[in-house]
Amino acid sequence: MSITLIPYGTKIDFVRLRFFGFSVTILLMLITIGGLVVNGLNLGIDFKGGILVEARAAQAVDMGALRSKLEGLNMGPVELQQFGTDKDVLIRLQRQPGAEAEQNASVAKLRESLGADYEYRRVEMVGPRVGDELFTGGMIAIGLALLGIGIYVATRFEWQFGVAALVATFHDVLVTLGLYSITGLEFNLTAVAALLTLAGFSVNDTVVVFDRMREIMRRQRTNDMTKVINDSVNQTLSRTVMTSGTVLVAMLPLLFFGGSTLINFTAAMTWGVLVGTFSSIYVAGSLLLYMKPMHLQTKGQQAAPSGKEA
């Protein structure tokens, strides 16, 4: 027995509600831009530079106790990541005031705090220049991903679809970036990974709607774009809600119980899924109302002389 959250055959007039969707979209983008201008981004160690230590303990690491111990050193924010086995830990500290001598002193202080039970596999110091390069590279990666999404959709469908998908996905990524600025969440390489993941999720939802639109265009000889958009969104609504709901079921426990290590990723994904679902339903399809695809125009012109359906 299948589970249906949305009743089959819904007839919601999403096109009529498009100005509501556009208003919410514009408001969120304005808030995001304001947040970026006023607050900027709280850049993490990956982008500001800092100290990276990879160590292995003699026994399983108690991450909570280790975090408390290192935060007591008063060397700024501490990032811990467990990998490989439960004995391996990656420690990130922000760059300390001073030159190389002060950084080496901080590493020595860290080792003294950890004690002799740890074997140090790797110690690196990331300077601000390297951090700037990583930040620039991350922004370029996001930009290229959005551009690639637009080109892919334009190639698979028509250029109008590509523009609509690019605008909707750009909105989702930008508004999620605003979450980092407004809440002060640390923006690091994990955040970049969250934005790239979100872009893929968002365009997946949009492509499903567009694919149904193309199918309806091929079946019906009509130039009524309003009907095509409403039918497409309504017919894929259950699938859209189920997909987003499934992702949220996985994200919410991690958001509330995953701790500070996962908050950067899970908060962005949770917010991004909600925003992406909204834009797929209210924004992406309705944008095509102002850029009628050539395929639909041709269908309407062919149907006009006879006034009969094939």
Side-chain angles (χ1 to χ4, degrees), residues 4 19 31-32 47 49 74 90 95 99 105 138 140 173 202 214 220 235 239 245 249 282 300 303:
T4 304
F19 294 113
I31 293 173
T32 294
F47 299 143
N74 297 320
L90 201 62
R95 184 173 177 82
I140 291 175
V173 171
S202 177
R214 180 170 60 178
Q220 302 175 4
Q235 290 175 21
R239 180 263 174 207
V249 165
Y282 286 99

Side-chain angles (χ1 to χ4, degrees), residues 245-265:
T246 301
V247 175
L248 290 176
V249 165
M251 284 294 112
L252 289 176
L254 294 175
L255 175 64
F256 292 116
F257 305 111
S260 57
T261 303
L262 297 176
I263 188 68
N264 284 16
F265 186 86

Side-chain angles (χ1 to χ4, degrees), residues 74-103:
N74 297 320
M75 292 195 294
V78 178
E79 293 182 14
L80 299 180
Q81 180 180 349
Q82 209 161 25
F83 68 99
T85 69
D86 57 3
K87 299 180 181 180
D88 296 310
V89 63
L90 201 62
I91 305 170
R92 290 187 177 93
L93 298 173
Q94 70 178 22
R95 184 173 177 82
Q96 303 301 301
E100 185 175 352
E102 284 73 17
Q103 310 310 312

Side-chain angles (χ1 to χ4, degrees), residues 7-118:
Y8 178 77
T10 56
K11 299 292 183 182
I12 303 173
D13 191 350
F14 290 105
V15 173
R16 185 174 62 83
L17 298 171
R18 67 187 182 278
F19 294 113
F20 163 75
F22 292 161
S23 299
V24 172
T25 296
I26 294 171
L27 178 62
L28 289 175
M29 292 183 72
L30 289 176
I31 293 173
T32 294
I33 294 171
L36 291 172
V37 170
V38 175
N39 300 330
L41 290 170
N42 178 25
L43 299 181
I45 293 170
D46 296 327
F47 299 143
K48 288 193 301 187
I51 300 169
L52 176 68
V53 177
E54 180 183 324
R56 168 170 284 186
Q59 55 188 3
V61 179
D62 183 340
M63 299 295 282
L66 180 60
R67 183 181 301 278
S68 298
K69 178 187 291 187
L70 296 181
E71 287 177 348
L73 298 178
N74 297 320
M75 292 195 294
V78 178
E79 293 182 14
L80 299 180
Q81 180 180 349
Q82 209 161 25
F83 68 99
T85 69
D86 57 3
K87 299 180 181 180
D88 296 310
V89 63
L90 201 62
I91 305 170
R92 290 187 177 93
L93 298 173
Q94 70 178 22
R95 184 173 177 82
Q96 303 301 301
E100 185 175 352
E102 284 73 17
Q103 310 310 312
N104 290 330
S106 298
V107 173
K109 184 178 179 181
L110 174 66
R111 288 188 173 188
E112 181 182 354
S113 175
L114 293 178
D117 292 337
Y118 283 83

Side-chain angles (χ1 to χ4, degrees), residues 206-309:
T206 302
V207 165
V208 169
V209 177
F210 285 174
D211 199 51
R212 185 57 57 90
M213 290 178 66
R214 180 170 60 178
E215 181 182 337
I216 292 175
M217 288 179 197
R218 289 173 175 174
R219 287 203 317 258
Q220 302 175 4
R221 292 181 178 274
T222 176
N223 60 354
D224 186 357
M225 193 63 184
T226 298
K227 185 176 186 306
V228 171
I229 295 171
N230 278 332
D231 288 351
S232 301
V233 177
N234 277 289
Q235 290 175 21
T236 57
L237 187 59
S238 180
R239 180 263 174 207
T240 300
V241 173
M242 286 287 288
T243 301
S244 300
T246 301
V247 175
L248 290 176
V249 165
M251 284 294 112
L252 289 176
L254 294 175
L255 175 64
F256 292 116
F257 305 111
S260 57
T261 303
L262 297 176
I263 188 68
N264 284 16
F265 186 86
T266 54
M269 282 300 299
T270 300
W271 171 247
V273 166
L274 294 174
V275 171
T277 303
F278 177 85
S279 68
S280 296
I281 293 173
Y282 286 99
V283 179
S286 294
L287 287 175
L288 292 174
L289 199 64
Y290 307 97
M291 302 180 294
K292 186 175 292 187
M294 293 300 298
H295 183 77
L296 188 63
Q297 293 177 23
T298 303
K299 285 285 187 183
Q301 292 166 2
Q302 290 175 349
S306 62
K308 299 179 180 179
E309 294 186 358

Side-chain angles (χ1 to χ4, degrees), residues 168-206:
T169 307
F170 174 77
H171 158 264
D172 300 342
V173 171
L174 179 64
V175 169
T176 305
L177 186 65
L179 178 72
Y180 286 99
S181 176
I182 293 170
T183 62
L185 282 173
E186 190 174 272
F187 189 79
N188 51 24
L189 288 176
T190 301
V192 173
L195 293 179
L196 291 173
T197 304
L198 175 62
F201 175 86
S202 177
V203 76
N204 177 64
D205 261 356
T206 302

